[in-house]
Amino acid sequence: MKKYFFVWGMFALTAPGLAQTSHTDERISLEIRKVFEASEDQNFRLFENTYIHSPDLVLEFYSQRDFREAWIEDGKLTRHAYEFRYLVRRAKYDGLVPEDYHLPQIDDFFEAREKNERYGSAMELAAADIVLTDAFILYAGHLYSGKVDPEHAVSGWNIEKKSTDPKILKGLEDALAEGEIREHLEAFRPKFPVYQRMQRSLVRYYEKEKEITGTWNPISIRTAIKPNERHAAIPVIRERLLFWNELEVYEWTDKDLYDSLMLSGVQAFQQKNGLNPDGVIGSATVRALNKNPRDLIRQTAVNLERLRWLPDTILQEFILVNIANYSMDYIKNRDTLLHSNAIVGRAYRRTPVFNAPMTYLVFSPTWTVPPGILRNDVIPAVKKDPRYLASKNMRLLTHSGNEVDPYTLDWSSISASNFPYMVRQDPGPDNSLGLVKFMFPNRYNVYIHDTPARELFARDDRALSSGCIRIQKPFELAYLLLADQPLWTGERILMAMNSGREQKVSLRRQIPVIILYLTFWTAGDGTPMVRHDVYERDQDLYKLLTRKIASDGLLQKL
């Protein structure tokens, strides 16, 4: 059994001669107080390589209770201590790391007590009490607002943080006073029902990991496999579908034949992975099939962390865009009134993760080409052929609004750095914004809009835009948003969309728009929904999530 020893030089304590039997509360209380009085630095080291993570809050907690121990009674661990250790062990089902919460030290101390190796000195009991308190505070803080700072570069997260005080110390005091450790600790978790559903999925993935026998070799195909075709990869694909319970066990006559019974399993699997359920086994389907339970444990963990970052305000009406799901939902009174496929930013022109209030719509919009597209796309195209602007129904304008004839300019001397004009596309069916745009002013110049390229919504990979969000059902969204303005009937909305004249319509209330990046969630019926990490953010976030707690600025500060 690994032993953890006090670093004696860190404390000015009177340990010699202390009897190895149960001690009075006063002795343990005195030792708790001395830990904070005698520390020579701000690290508050208790054991070798064991530090108090939240010294200020731990000190405040004990100061409020006159340094009385919290987890020990008559020299013995209370049932609350045992219940809390059980909860720490299960931190992995929140996608967290139990060792962050002093689990090795807690286990070592509990094991020694249970084997009656020693009752422990007052100093040891005090240290154990502090470790349990520190673990509760840190665990509760991570449940409430996450372990990793959402503002870290790898997260790409710019949604406003929770503004409320979690009142962790009160939660701890109440938990101990009422004897309800689990209830009060779990109260710090996000209140979203999806969080609890995702936890259950994570438990299942841990269970599925135990079912793996042998190696999980990657499937590789050169061309897509269609139903009724034969392929050497079919036996392994069938095994994967059986493993994930997408197929019932059945007898097959040709092991390499993609038969009709497999087809339904493939389609169900594709549906859960956000793919077109056409039954064709292509690269995207194979990529999803190659994920093993450990991969999905990691994916679930990082998305539980993302949910912990979200503000805990319950919204009655909002628009939710999930970049990784290529989708937009309009939600009111907890009902999804509209679901629409969406197109989001390419990997190198990523749609940002943020929130902002939607305030107005624009029918038959013009499109002023943003600087990035102007620099990378439009100017190079015009330099090759000045007719490009007319072919796209675009006009060259000065910043005061005067039109300029592109044929009068020496384009060989013009570059993106010295370009003194604007390029604006007139309204019409070929306008890049389509027939309506939905505005929620923000520093990213990102908004939701229609598109003339309707065929792109049928693709599995819809990371195709320059950052803005194109939706498949713009009329339906406009109709719902203007439902409280009776003059805006469906007929009038259609007329405005096709008028060829730009028209702004203000909303009567601000509607929050939340743009998320979730690559995993669990649906209301318990179905796990797995999405491709199109921006490749999960791995970097998982590394931070599993990194040992350190004062390196990468992790949340309480």
Side-chain angles (χ1 to χ4, degrees):
M1 179 179 68
K2 184 178 180 181
K3 302 294 183 183
Y4 293 86
F5 298 97
F6 292 102
V7 183
W8 296 96
M10 301 295 292
F11 307 105
L13 301 177
T14 56
L18 203 58
Q20 298 301 303
T21 58
S22 62
H23 303 287
T24 63
D25 291 351
E26 288 77 9
R27 283 192 171 185
I28 300 173
S29 175
L30 177 63
E31 299 300 344
I32 291 174
R33 180 170 58 81
K34 285 184 176 180
V35 167
F36 295 97
E37 288 180 350
S39 179
E40 297 176 359
D41 56 29
Q42 295 301 307
N43 288 325
F44 294 96
R45 185 163 55 152
L46 289 175
F47 304 103
E48 183 181 1
N49 299 320
T50 302
Y51 298 85
I52 302 175
H53 295 311
S54 309
D56 292 341
L57 288 177
V58 174
L59 175 58
E60 182 180 348
F61 171 76
Y62 283 109
S63 297
Q64 290 173 353
R65 56 190 292 119
D66 198 24
F67 294 95
R68 288 181 295 108
E69 64 271 28
W71 306 92
I72 293 168
E73 186 174 321
D74 295 328
K76 299 178 182 178
L77 293 162
T78 64
R79 65 177 180 85
H80 309 325
Y82 279 92
E83 182 180 10
F84 180 59
R85 180 178 67 163
Y86 170 78
L87 297 174
V88 170
R89 287 175 170 175
R90 293 179 64 83
K92 66 180 185 178
Y93 298 130
D94 281 290
L96 296 169
V97 181
E99 289 72 20
D100 283 343
Y101 315 112
H102 304 304
L103 182 59
Q105 297 89 331
I106 291 171
D107 276 343
D108 184 69
F109 183 79
F110 278 49
E111 184 179 347
R113 304 284 290 169
E114 290 161 1
K115 288 185 175 181
N116 292 318
E117 292 182 7
R118 62 182 184 275
Y119 283 102
S121 67
M123 188 193 319
E124 289 172 314
L125 292 169
D129 204 88
I130 292 171
V131 163
L132 288 164
T133 296
D134 188 45
F136 185 99
I137 290 171
L138 189 66
Y139 191 3
H142 287 174
L143 287 178
Y144 183 75
S145 55
K147 174 181 174 179
V148 179
D149 189 337
E151 294 183 353
H152 190 270
V154 306
S155 70
W157 194 271
N158 296 287
I159 292 176
E160 63 179 297
K161 292 184 177 181
K162 294 176 180 176
S163 58
T164 55
D165 179 0
K167 301 187 184 306
I168 291 174
L169 297 189
K170 184 179 187 307
L172 175 54
E173 279 288 4
D174 291 345
L176 294 167
E178 299 169 15
E180 301 290 351
I181 304 298
R182 178 195 291 266
E183 287 77 1
H184 283 279
L185 181 64
E186 292 180 349
F188 292 102
R189 285 192 180 120
K191 302 301 187 292
F192 314 119
V194 68
Y195 188 92
Q196 286 72 36
R197 296 197 299 266
M198 288 169 63
Q199 282 184 295
R200 291 192 287 271
S201 292
L202 187 53
V203 171
R204 179 173 178 265
Y205 289 141
Y206 272 107
E207 292 172 349
K208 293 297 288 185
E209 187 177 34
K210 297 175 184 176
E211 297 178 14
I212 297 178
T213 57
T215 57
W216 191 281
N217 294 320
I219 301 167
S220 178
I221 62 172
R222 292 185 178 180
T223 58
I225 310 171
K226 297 178 181 178
N228 297 317
E229 291 183 347
R230 299 181 75 256
H231 195 283
I234 289 298
V236 179
I237 294 172
R238 185 183 290 113
E239 287 178 9
R240 298 281 167 87
L241 296 172
L242 288 167
F243 179 84
W244 292 118
N245 304 118
E246 302 296 355
L247 277 181
E248 298 287 341
V249 177
Y250 71 99
E251 295 290 335
W252 52 85
T253 56
D254 185 343
K255 66 180 180 64
D256 291 340
L257 178 66
Y258 180 9
D259 55 44
S260 59
L261 289 176
M262 267 190 69
L263 173 60
S264 61
V266 169
Q267 290 174 319
F269 183 82
Q270 289 173 326
Q271 191 84 42
K272 293 175 183 177
N273 283 270
L275 305 173
N276 183 18
D278 56 9
V280 177
I281 304 173
S283 58
T285 301
V286 167
R287 180 180 62 207
L289 285 166
N290 280 333
K291 289 183 179 180
N292 59 39
R294 175 53 52 177
D295 296 326
L296 294 172
I297 286 170
R298 298 188 189 101
Q299 195 164 350
T300 308
V302 298
N303 286 285
L304 284 167
E305 178 77 351
R306 288 173 177 138
L307 288 186
R308 290 189 286 266
W309 292 343
L310 286 175
D312 51 2
T313 305
I314 302 299
L315 300 175
Q316 298 303 313
E317 181 182 24
F318 60 99
I319 291 169
L320 178 67
V321 174
N322 184 358
I323 297 168
N325 192 39
Y326 307 127
S327 67
M328 184 221 70
D329 292 281
Y330 171 60
I331 300 168
K332 190 171 184 180
N333 298 325
R334 302 193 179 186
D335 287 332
T336 300
L337 303 186
L338 178 66
H339 174 80
S340 175
N341 287 340
I343 293 169
V344 300
R346 300 179 182 93
Y348 60 92
R349 293 184 181 178
R350 298 177 178 184
T351 298
V353 175
F354 71 102
N355 63 306
M358 183 179 291
T359 55
Y360 66 96
L361 285 63
V362 178
F363 293 119
S364 292
T366 59
W367 180 46
T368 301
V369 181
I373 298 176
L374 196 64
R375 177 178 60 253
N376 297 320
D377 301 324
V378 175
I379 293 176
V382 179
K383 287 172 72 83
K384 290 181 179 178
D385 184 358
R387 293 173 297 179
Y388 174 85
L389 293 176
S391 69
K392 298 295 183 180
N393 202 23
M394 292 176 173
R395 291 182 295 135
L396 194 63
L397 303 173
T398 66
H399 287 279
S400 59
N402 296 319
E403 188 169 358
V404 177
D405 185 349
Y407 290 96
T408 64
L409 302 179
D410 177 12
W411 285 94
S412 63
S413 65
I414 293 176
S415 66
S417 61
N418 67 6
F419 191 67
Y421 307 107
M422 298 185 296
V423 174
R424 182 169 294 162
Q425 188 176 39
D426 291 330
D430 296 324
N431 185 284
S432 294
L433 304 184
L435 304 178
V436 59
K437 64 179 181 179
F438 305 84
M439 302 301 294
F440 40 104
N442 57 81
R443 62 190 175 100
Y444 307 102
N445 197 28
V446 164
Y447 42 89
I448 296 171
H449 63 86
D450 181 23
T451 176
R454 314 296 297 174
E455 71 282 356
L456 297 180
F457 290 108
R459 295 180 54 167
D460 284 336
D461 180 358
R462 296 197 293 276
L464 304 167
S465 82
S466 297
C468 284
I469 300 129
R470 310 173 196 170
I471 58 172
Q472 192 172 19
K473 299 178 180 179
F475 166 77
E476 291 85 347
L477 180 60
Y479 183 79
L480 288 169
L481 296 180
L482 296 176
D484 60 349
Q485 300 188 42
L487 292 179
W488 281 102
T489 63
E491 183 180 3
R492 185 180 178 191
I493 289 173
L494 286 173
M495 289 178 61
M497 289 173 66
N498 292 280
S499 69
R501 179 177 60 85
E502 190 171 75
Q503 183 176 4
K504 174 184 173 183
V505 181
S506 296
L507 298 176
R508 287 183 175 174
R509 77 280 187 204
Q510 294 187 351
I511 300 176
V513 176
I514 304 170
I515 302 177
L516 293 178
Y517 187 80
L518 289 179
T519 61
F520 179 90
W521 71 98
T522 305
D525 63 357
T527 302
M529 308 300 286
V530 185
R531 297 297 180 262
H532 176 50
D533 180 16
V534 61
Y535 291 167
E536 298 183 345
R537 286 176 170 161
D538 285 359
Q539 183 176 356
D540 288 338
L541 178 53
Y542 186 75
K543 288 179 181 178
L544 290 179
L545 191 59
T546 54
R547 177 177 290 186
K548 184 178 179 180
I549 295 289
S551 56
D552 55 10
L554 295 180
L555 306 179
Q556 288 279 35
K557 302 297 182 184
L558 292 176

